[in-house]
């Protein structure tokens, strides 16, 4: 996200969510870019397959859904820990590249620790992405998630 981007969604993400809330997203470290790419190019197409399998009640989706849920849960744990604990070493690397003064940090919407500035807003935006994989894992836990036995 960048307030001066020519791309509308980058400006919208910056203004509506990142500035004053999520300094890590503004800093955009390599691990976050990799996680975003995996989400877009691997999970994006999978969402279509998952929805179709759910609508049609296909049990074969179970192992893939459980794998997906595990991957999302693990990555979200890492992201939440880094978001709330901050990443001082990342800040130090950025400082070596020219971000040095408190005024420069404030202009970029960053704090020295890169920790979340507004936990309520962060959770409001991110909690659904963290809860749905858990609900999916619960739904897929049975060997035949789409077969209902009436005994």
């Amino acid at each position: 996200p960048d307030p001066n981007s020519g791309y509308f969604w980058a400006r919208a993400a910056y203004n509506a969510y990142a500035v004053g809330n999520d300094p890590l997203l503004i800093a955009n470290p390599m691990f976050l870019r990799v996680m975003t790419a995996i989400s877009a190019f691997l999970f994006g197409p999978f969402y279509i397959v998952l929805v179709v399998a759910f609508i049609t009640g296909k049990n074969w989706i179970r192992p893939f859904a459980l794998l997906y849920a595990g991957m999302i849960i693990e990555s979200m744990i890492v992201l939440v820990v880094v978001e709330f604990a901050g990443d001082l070493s990342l800040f130090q690397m950025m400082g070596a590249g020219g971000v040095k003064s408190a005024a420069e940090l404030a202009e970029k919407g960053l704090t020295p620790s890169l920790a979340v500035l507004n936990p309520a807003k962060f959770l409001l935006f991110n909690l659904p992405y963290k809860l749905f994989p858990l609900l999916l894992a619960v739904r897929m836990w049975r060997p035949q998630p789409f077969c209902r036995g009436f005994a």
Side-chain angles (χ1 to χ4, degrees), residues 62-133:
R62 180 181 181 264
F64 304 105
L66 289 172
L67 180 65
Y68 158 79
M71 291 172 68
I72 292 292
I73 292 165
E74 184 273 336
S75 66
M76 288 298 100
I77 290 170
V78 170
L79 187 63
V80 167
V81 167
V82 172
E83 289 277 9
F84 281 95
D87 194 340
L88 188 55
S89 62
L90 174 65
F91 168 71
Q92 290 167 341
M93 284 187 343
M94 289 174 55
V99 179
K100 294 183 172 43
S101 72
E104 287 174 305
L105 288 173
E107 286 175 15
K108 294 182 180 292
L110 303 174
T111 58
S113 70
L114 294 178
V116 168
L117 300 172
N118 185 340
K121 184 176 182 181
F122 175 83
L123 291 173
L124 179 68
F125 275 89
N126 288 280
L127 204 53
Y129 196 66
K130 291 157 185 48
L131 289 178
F132 282 109

